[in-house]
Amino acid sequence: MGTLYIVPTPVGNMEDMTLRAIRTLKEADLVLAEDTRTSGILFKHFDIKNHLMSHHKFNEHGTSAAVVERLKAGQNVALVSDAGTPGISDPGFYLAREAAKAGIEVVTLPGATACIPAIVSSGLPCDRFCFEGFLPQKKGRQSHLESLRNEPRTMVFYESPFRLVKTLRQMETYFGPDRHVSVAREISKIHEEHVRGTLDEVAAHFEATPPKGEIVIVVAGAPKDKKQTDK
């Protein structure tokens, strides 16, 4: 049996790539990539000469069976996404599940992800938090926010810069305008920025200064002494 390696890649600064990740990608029999063009740039930067095969959310159900057969035959396979840790709002879960069901060892390397730096830098409690990823774009969006109205833990969301203001204003409706939030932008990149304040203040900031780049929203949990019952 081979081993499936889940390999994090930088979300911004190339120096965030670990030595172990580079070695694993060089030694694997096959590397699966969310976008071979994006991973090709990474490979060139670190002089990794290995075969890349496309594995993304549109084909992962079709390719996973063949990959599991390669693993059963003794090949070692590495999986990367465009940035960060595969499986965290990126392809990876399905293949990891199918490999584990087949008795194949799944090894995930520690490494880059956008959500942890965003939480730790937010100034909000990070001893307990829940990761919500991307909210539904249409159906179920409001009901999902409603279900989080009284969530006591710090909440972490990913969002597009084009929907950021709309999302912050919707959160105001369900969590209240005075709920504290930190919006992290361009984690680990040259123009990294953290904007902190109440939902109303931060929404107003980005209404005046339209955001660019990758976004992580970190929202304080519901106050223990006050349940959010009114919209």
Side-chain angles (χ1 to χ4, degrees):
M1 287 267 195
T3 300
L4 173 63
Y5 292 95
I6 311 294
V7 183
T9 55
V11 296
N13 194 318
M14 284 289 194
E15 292 180 2
D16 293 337
M17 190 75 167
T18 69
L19 296 174
R20 184 182 175 199
I22 295 169
R23 176 178 59 79
T24 300
L25 293 176
K26 286 183 176 180
E27 294 178 354
D29 296 297
L30 173 68
V31 178
L32 305 175
E34 183 179 5
D35 188 323
T36 56
R37 295 164 298 181
T38 300
S39 296
I41 296 170
L42 179 81
F43 275 36
K44 184 176 181 180
H45 183 86
F46 290 106
D47 195 31
I48 300 170
K49 298 178 174 66
N50 206 337
H51 178 62
L52 283 167
M53 188 172 91
S54 180
H55 182 87
H56 47 74
K57 65 180 181 180
F58 300 108
N59 74 356
E60 62 180 335
H61 286 71
T63 59
S64 291
V67 173
V68 168
E69 289 306 310
R70 284 175 178 255
L71 289 159
K72 285 181 177 179
Q75 290 191 15
N76 291 324
V77 177
L79 172 68
V80 297
S81 61
D82 288 348
T85 300
I88 307 298
S89 292
D90 279 326
F93 156 72
Y94 184 78
L95 178 59
R97 184 186 69 182
E98 295 304 296
K101 281 169 58 177
I104 294 159
E105 185 176 11
V106 179
V107 176
T108 301
L109 278 61
T113 183
C115 64
I116 299 301
I119 299 167
V120 176
S121 298
S122 70
L124 297 171
C126 51
D127 54 335
R128 297 179 69 231
F129 62 87
C130 58
F131 177 73
E132 295 294 326
F134 286 96
L135 287 166
Q137 289 190 31
K138 294 180 181 177
K139 187 177 181 180
R141 187 180 180 90
Q142 294 184 358
S143 61
H144 191 82
L145 287 169
E146 172 64 38
S147 73
L148 295 170
R149 183 190 292 272
N150 293 313
E151 170 57 59
R153 297 168 294 179
T154 299
M155 297 170 283
V156 185
F157 304 85
Y158 286 167
E159 190 51 280
S160 157
F162 307 107
R163 290 192 298 269
L164 175 61
V165 171
K166 175 184 176 182
T167 297
L168 292 173
R169 290 302 185 191
Q170 287 178 324
M171 287 177 172
E172 256 192 277
T173 301
Y174 292 94
F175 305 153
D178 295 328
R179 183 79 69 92
H180 282 273
V181 64
S182 173
V183 171
R185 190 178 68 81
E186 295 287 78
I187 290 284
S188 192
K189 297 179 182 177
I190 294 174
H191 300 294
E192 179 173 339
E193 177 186 37
H194 298 263
V195 179
R196 306 173 182 88
T198 65
L199 279 166
D200 180 53
E201 290 168 344
V202 175
H205 169 83
F206 285 111
E207 283 171 342
T209 309
K212 295 180 180 179
E214 302 296 323
I215 302 290
V216 184
I217 305 172
V218 184
V219 185
K224 293 181 181 179
D225 58 344
K226 183 180 180 181
K227 294 290 186 181
Q228 300 292 315
T229 55
D230 297 324
K231 289 188 180 181

